[in-house]
Amino acid sequence: MQTHEIRERFTNHFVRSGHEAVPSASLILDDPNLLFVNAGMVPFKPYFLGQETPPFANGTATSIQKCVRTLDIDEVGITTRHNTFFQMAGNFSFGQYFKEGAITHAWTLLTGSLAEGGLGLDPERLWVTVYLDDDEAAEIWEKKIGVPAERIQRLGMEDNYWHMGVPGPCGPCSEIYFDRGPAYGKEGGPAVDDNRYMEIWNLVFMEKERGEGTAKGEFEILGDLPKKNIDTGMGVERVACLLQGVENVYETDLLRPVIDTAEKLTGATYGKDNTADIRFRVIADHSRTGMMLILDGVTPGNEGRGYILRRLLRRIIRSARLLGATAETMQQFMNTIMDTMTPSYPEIAENRERILNVATNEEKAFLRTLESGTQLFEQAASSVKQSGSTTVAGDQAFALHDTYGFPIDLTLEMAAESGLEVDIEGFESLMAEQKARAKADNQAKKHGHADLSVYRQWVDEHPTEFLGYEALSSQSKVLGLVRNGESINEAHAGEEVEVILDHTPMYAESGGQLGDRGQLVSGDTLLNINDVQKIGKKLWIHKATVASGGLDLGSEVTVNVDGKWRHGARQAHTATHLIHAALRQVLGPTAVQAGSLNRPGYLRFDFNFTEGLSPAQMEQIELITNQAVDTDWAVNTIETSLEEARKMGAMALFGENYGDSVRVVEIGGPFSMELCGGTHVTHSSQIGPVTLLSEASVGSGVRRIEAYSGMDSFQFLSREAALASGLASSLKTPTVDLPERVRQLTDKLKAAEREIENLHKAQLAANTSKLLDQGVEINGFTVLTIQLPKGTSAGDLRTVATDLRGRLGEREGIVVLAAEDGQGKAPFIIGATKSAIARGVKSGDLVKLLGGYVDGRGGGKPDMAQGSGSKPEGFNAGFEALKSELAQL
């Protein structure tokens, strides 16, 4: 049975029993505790916590949620049951049925006949576990389902008490296992061998809320959830493994084709060697996870989600190389996994080119890293051999890995080829320190769930009616006042307060557009509204300062949007749509929005693209945008279903979850059509001029354009014109000739600087021969310790040191130069001749010694090393220490 059929049978089973089918949410949700959605229940968390009322008619739902867990990336492939990406099929009850219902639904699907829509598993091979003191669940399994008591096992907190690892819902659970037979391990059930007995379904009886904690069981139970809920998760990949009769999840219809592709590209064979098999499994697993992350809008970067994606893609490349691949492989891997996953995720097809571009560009960048890393390793290996050692130091291996992105696996491999070892303990120690710092930093950035229970009554009973598409003012009623997280009955002058109204003309921040600014008036009472935010997409929170008077609960008020603010915000937001459309005309369909910010007169637009834009491209994008403004297209909004909007060709944003009813903003017919809830001008000409200010990278594969619109654009252009006019007047040249005049002046300046630099070098060379006379003999060495005049730069020190060392020729010479650079720093450099190095001199060691006397540090190679300090008065003492060191060598 193919995986997509398992998904279909699961969904149909629960829809027939009254559950509402809910599409998978994006892997990226706005949750401060999660980089990615890591469990099927995550999109339903507000309902479990009682923050929002479930929008499902029967209070039940079913979904097959995309999930990613990356806590132990380095362990992937070592076991054969775990993936970083997996599909969690689940059914959910929000206060409807509880333990008996959940157990019955699961058992019926698993053991039901194929003809009746079940999965056809043998009930005699199913085992279950329950929490230690969960007598109720145990009795249901035995008395109502008929599972023999000997196949029901009780396990503790670590195994059968579910939570997300962060504050939130929790409760005891019951897990269903399939006995794979004696060939897979010992008898005795999952308590004895969880390899033979494979877990396929976890039924969570969610009834409590947990607080802060760091490990399983080490957290406080805050109390009961508002209702007893059900959250279950069936591992689609594991069930596919059983129904397809394969050994592990890597050999199912979704992942085995990637392994086959890897065999063709590398010449290696899967199934013959455990080390090689792990690498095959890494390629298969990470190809799918990487593809799904890119699909949902993640691009490679150096932090957060982007860093995880980069690690995954680079582990694919590294594993393929270690298996024998010599050419680029990413395109073939991505094409293969997209072919296997498209039946379940049709949206892959329309994003195929973009996914390939992101993945293959990362491969090209990493291959360049490998090339430069190889050169750095060869330098390190040469230095090790020259010193007489056979071990590459742990800190060198760590620097290659951490600073240059060179994998430790390749360092070990190349070291072995060079007859060297690597101080792996030192490397692992530094890695452990880095992980500890990262973990502490990550923990510091986490925030517990904000307590939104104070807003619950209004979310459920009085969701805000938004009037702002048609009006800038309204007569409204104050339904709620909140201060410092608590509901209050009145607010007084000078206080900061959150105001909840029955309806409002004020736009709440979303879709990149900032919330409106404005005023709330009632008689002598005036509140300045500084921001508007949403709770649960239903409730508008007006954040305000009471400027005068006081405000009581139930008051009738007039709400006025700042018209100038709204006009500027609408101009910027509509300009963003035009720029997006112009970008796609110039750069192609792979340039898609990755984020935006719109405020009056200004916008920034992030988009997925791997190369910087040329001046000509920027000029073309700006021209197309302003032509769209000049055309005076009508800006139309269409309320329709999500399905119809997609048929119309409307673009949706990655990471956004849309309801069944959506709002399409259409400008110029096919020119621009996007799903958007923001406010816009009614005709494109109302935007006014649009000026592109800059374009730059904000992460790997993500670029950002900044622009002005409306009067801000006009004022910017006016200032630019005045600046050009003033410059033209100063240079006594027509404005149109300014570029050529500036080029001429720049060329003259560069020529003068080169002449000055040549004179300076000549002066340094003339003085070098005099400095050579200051050498003294110490223990057979010719030693020069010289402090050059104040103002000598570090670059000058290197020039003189290199010249002096060359003049020492075959002598055992050491050159030590220092200076004050005139900018608060005290640079120094040490060079040694080949014969001095042969006697054991290492410039890097001597630099460290000297640095200790001037409150500085430095490093380098045996022949040349340099550093910088902050206390030049210590140079003389440092020189004497160096001489003493050399005298004892």
Side-chain angles (χ1 to χ4, degrees):
M1 186 182 297
Q2 297 293 293
T3 300
H4 68 269
E5 183 181 347
I6 297 171
R7 289 166 46 97
E8 186 177 357
R9 284 173 177 263
F10 183 95
T11 301
N12 290 341
H13 172 77
F14 284 100
V15 169
R16 284 195 300 269
S17 65
H19 293 66
E20 182 173 330
V22 178
S24 173
S26 168
L27 285 166
I28 307 166
L29 289 185
D30 185 16
D31 188 318
N33 294 296
L34 299 173
L35 278 177
F36 306 111
V37 170
N38 64 356
M41 60 74 62
V42 170
F44 303 99
K45 196 161 48 175
Y47 313 135
F48 288 129
L49 285 170
Q51 296 170 348
E52 298 179 30
T53 299
F56 315 116
N58 296 325
T60 59
T62 184
S63 73
I64 299 177
Q65 175 61 45
K66 301 178 288 188
C67 301
V68 168
R69 293 180 186 168
T70 58
L71 289 176
D72 299 306
I73 291 177
D74 295 330
E75 302 300 316
V76 168
I78 296 175
T79 69
T80 57
R81 289 178 296 154
H82 295 88
N83 300 129
T84 52
F85 172 90
F86 57 95
Q87 302 169 89
M88 190 58 72
N91 58 288
F92 308 91
S93 169
F94 309 98
Q96 301 302 310
Y97 58 81
F98 199 48
K99 293 181 182 179
E100 183 174 346
I103 289 170
T104 303
H105 280 308
W107 187 261
T108 303
L109 175 61
L110 289 176
T111 63
S113 69
L114 296 179
E116 296 175 347
L119 296 176
L121 294 178
D122 182 358
E124 298 302 316
R125 300 180 70 175
L126 295 177
W127 290 61
V128 297
T129 63
V130 298
Y131 185 55
L132 284 174
D133 59 3
D134 194 351
D135 297 332
E136 180 187 359
E139 184 174 347
I140 293 170
W141 279 116
E142 183 178 1
K143 304 296 184 184
K144 300 199 174 181
I145 301 299
V147 177
E150 60 270 19
R151 295 214 309 270
I152 303 172
Q153 297 183 326
R154 295 178 184 252
L155 298 176
M157 174 77 72
E158 185 172 345
D159 297 290
N160 275 70
Y161 200 92
W162 184 91
H163 59 96
M164 292 182 60
V166 295
C170 64
C173 62
S174 179
E175 296 176 331
I176 305 173
Y177 292 78
F178 184 85
D179 181 4
R180 304 171 74 196
Y184 291 90
K186 297 178 290 185
E187 292 188 13
V192 174
D193 188 338
D194 64 357
N195 183 54
R196 169 174 170 172
Y197 302 88
M198 179 186 286
E199 178 194 344
I200 56 174
W201 206 327
N202 187 9
L203 314 176
V204 177
F205 311 130
M206 196 181 297
E207 53 189 357
K208 304 289 184 182
E209 182 177 1
R210 61 151 284 190
E212 295 287 349
T214 57
K216 283 207 169 187
E218 297 178 5
F219 50 78
E220 178 186 3
I221 299 296
L222 301 179
D224 295 331
L225 292 175
K227 294 180 181 178
K228 291 184 176 182
N229 306 307
I230 287 296
D231 155 35
T232 86
M234 185 192 82
V236 173
E237 281 77 10
R238 294 190 181 189
V239 172
C241 173
L242 298 176
L243 294 181
Q244 293 174 20
V246 296
E247 287 295 307
N248 57 64
V249 295
Y250 293 94
E251 298 179 13
T252 63
D253 60 314
L254 296 186
L255 294 182
R256 179 67 206 215
V258 185
I259 292 177
D260 294 340
T261 298
E263 286 184 315
K264 294 175 185 176
L265 294 174
T266 64
T269 303
Y270 180 71
K272 289 188 175 182
D273 173 76
N274 185 55
T275 300
D277 286 354
I278 291 172
R279 291 169 182 158
F280 277 114
R281 292 193 285 264
V282 165
I283 291 171
D285 174 270
H286 290 3
S287 293
R288 180 169 65 168
T289 306
M291 185 274 293
M292 295 302 290
L293 290 178
I294 298 170
L295 175 66
D296 277 5
V298 182
T299 54
N302 291 326
E303 58 184 27
R305 298 182 180 105
Y307 177 67
I308 295 295
L309 175 59
R310 171 160 285 168
R311 282 194 66 194
L312 293 170
L313 296 180
R314 291 188 170 192
R315 278 171 59 83
I316 296 170
I317 301 162
R318 177 180 65 193
S319 297
R321 179 189 174 102
L322 292 172
L323 284 172
T326 56
E328 295 179 10
T329 59
M330 193 62 71
Q331 182 172 350
Q332 293 92 325
F333 291 149
M334 285 291 139
N335 274 325
T336 302
I337 198 63
M338 285 191 284
D339 288 342
T340 70
M341 296 295 289
T342 298
S344 296
Y345 301 95
E347 62 269 27
I348 291 172
E350 61 193 68
N351 288 281
R352 196 176 192 110
E353 184 181 354
R354 180 179 61 84
I355 292 169
L356 281 175
N357 280 348
V358 172
T360 55
N361 277 306
E362 180 65 16
E363 179 176 37
K364 290 180 173 65
F366 186 47
L367 290 176
R368 290 194 295 269
T369 294
L370 291 180
E371 182 179 349
S372 60
T374 299
Q375 295 175 354
L376 291 167
F377 171 82
E378 289 172 351
Q379 293 174 5
S382 174
S383 177
V384 168
K385 289 178 179 179
Q386 284 183 10
S387 69
S389 175
T390 59
T391 302
V392 177
D395 58 351
Q396 289 181 299
F398 180 75
L400 280 167
H401 166 84
D402 188 58
T403 306
Y404 301 102
F406 197 69
I408 185 62
D409 290 359
L410 293 182
T411 298
L412 291 168
E413 179 185 8
M414 294 177 65
E417 291 173 355
S418 301
L420 300 173
E421 297 179 345
V422 176
D423 176 15
I424 197 65
E425 290 185 4
F427 171 83
E428 289 177 346
S429 175
L430 291 167
M431 279 296 295
E433 291 178 13
Q434 184 196 59
K435 287 181 179 179
R437 288 193 299 270
K439 185 175 181 180
D441 182 58
N442 187 48
Q443 199 67 31
K445 291 178 181 177
K446 283 187 176 181
H447 304 286
H449 297 282
D451 183 6
L452 303 179
S453 58
V454 67
Y455 305 106
R456 174 65 188 273
Q457 58 176 308
W458 299 299
V459 171
D460 284 352
E461 300 171 14
H462 302 288
T464 308
E465 181 184 358
F466 177 56
L467 309 175
Y469 292 136
E470 295 82 24
L472 294 180
S473 180
S474 73
Q475 300 299 310
S476 304
K477 182 178 180 180
V478 178
L479 300 180
L481 296 170
V482 176
R483 185 179 61 232
N484 299 327
E486 294 183 0
S487 178
I488 58 175
N489 294 322
E490 56 186 22
H492 306 286
E495 292 182 341
E496 303 286 334
V497 65
E498 296 176 350
V499 183
I500 297 161
L501 305 170
D502 57 351
H503 48 255
T504 181
M506 303 201 72
Y507 183 81
E509 180 176 347
S510 60
Q513 181 177 333
L514 297 185
D516 278 334
R517 305 296 187 263
Q519 292 183 328
L520 184 153
V521 181
S522 177
D524 294 332
T525 294
L526 172 65
L527 279 76
N528 291 318
I529 300 174
N530 311 311
D531 191 14
V532 188
Q533 296 290 326
K534 285 184 189 178
I535 299 292
K537 297 186 178 181
K538 294 182 178 181
L539 191 69
W540 268 236
I541 304 298
H542 303 75
K543 299 187 175 185
T545 303
V546 184
S548 63
L551 188 65
D552 296 327
L553 198 61
S555 298
E556 297 290 337
V557 297
T558 300
V559 186
N560 297 314
V561 177
D562 181 332
K564 185 177 180 181
W565 174 280
R566 170 68 74 83
H567 178 61
R570 293 195 310 168
Q571 287 178 309
H573 200 158
T574 311
T576 300
H577 284 229
L578 298 185
I579 288 174
H580 191 187
L583 265 172
R584 291 170 65 80
Q585 279 195 28
V586 174
L587 305 179
T590 60
V592 294
Q593 183 170 349
S596 68
L597 181 143
N598 311 292
R599 67 169 185 255
Y602 168 86
L603 66 93
R604 70 174 189 230
F605 183 84
D606 295 347
F607 59 100
N608 292 315
F609 206 66
T610 54
E611 300 173 1
L613 274 57
S614 68
Q617 288 173 318
M618 288 286 284
E619 184 177 347
Q620 190 176 5
I621 292 165
E622 188 175 64
L623 176 63
I624 292 171
T625 300
N626 282 289
Q627 284 175 338
V629 170
D630 185 60
T631 304
D632 193 28
W633 275 320
V635 179
N636 300 309
T637 57
I638 306 163
E639 298 282 346
T640 185
S641 68
L642 180 59
E643 183 178 356
E644 284 300 315
R646 285 174 171 159
K647 288 179 182 178
M648 292 165 58
M651 291 191 63
L653 299 185
F654 296 111
E656 287 285 337
N657 291 313
Y658 298 97
D660 292 333
S661 178
V662 296
R663 184 170 183 263
V664 178
V665 175
E666 175 262 318
I667 311 170
F671 181 79
S672 173
M673 189 178 298
E674 299 186 29
L675 299 185
C676 179
T679 64
H680 293 274
V681 298
T682 58
H683 285 79
S684 61
S685 60
Q686 294 170 343
I687 297 170
V690 178
T691 303
L692 270 55
L693 303 174
S694 65
E695 185 275 338
S697 171
V698 290
S700 179
V702 180
R703 313 289 302 181
R704 171 174 292 171
I705 281 179
E706 294 183 90
Y708 284 145
S709 60
M711 284 301 298
D712 288 77
S713 175
F714 171 79
Q715 290 168 357
F716 172 80
L717 294 172
S718 178
R719 289 194 299 270
E720 291 288 292
L723 178 64
S725 177
L727 187 59
S729 176
S730 297
L731 296 179
K732 294 180 173 51
T733 188
T735 304
V736 70
D737 295 333
L738 268 180
E740 176 60 23
R741 180 64 175 142
V742 170
R743 187 194 64 77
Q744 292 172 358
L745 291 174
T746 302
D747 288 344
K748 285 183 179 181
L749 179 61
K750 289 179 179 178
E753 288 174 342
R754 283 195 297 270
E755 185 176 352
I756 292 171
E757 179 64 20
N758 290 335
L759 290 171
H760 181 62
K761 288 180 178 179
Q763 186 180 17
L764 286 174
N767 291 332
T768 300
S769 59
K770 299 177 183 177
L771 298 176
L772 196 63
D773 296 337
Q774 297 182 33
V776 296
E777 297 298 319
I778 300 174
N779 191 19
F781 294 109
T782 300
V783 183
L784 289 87
T785 55
I786 304 168
Q787 184 168 346
L788 293 178
K790 187 173 182 178
T792 304
S793 69
D796 289 341
L797 288 180
R798 176 172 281 274
T799 299
V800 175
T802 301
D803 192 0
L804 285 172
R805 186 183 58 180
R807 291 173 184 257
L808 288 171
E810 299 299 322
R811 283 185 276 180
E812 296 172 355
I814 297 100
V815 177
V816 183
L817 301 180
E820 292 183 64
D821 67 358
Q823 298 178 1
K825 294 183 179 180
F828 50 90
I829 190 166
I830 298 177
T833 62
K834 290 183 179 179
S835 53
I837 294 171
R839 277 194 58 187
V841 171
K842 295 179 181 178
S843 297
D845 292 344
L846 296 179
V847 154
K848 291 176 183 176
L849 176 61
L850 179 56
Y853 286 85
V854 293
D855 197 15
R857 58 183 180 178
K861 300 176 183 178
D863 64 332
M864 186 76 77
Q866 64 186 94
S868 181
S870 58
K871 296 182 177 179
E873 61 270 19
F875 276 136
N876 288 333
F879 292 164
E880 294 305 316
L882 287 176
K883 291 175 182 177
S884 297
E885 181 74 15
L886 293 170
Q888 299 172 23
L889 192 65

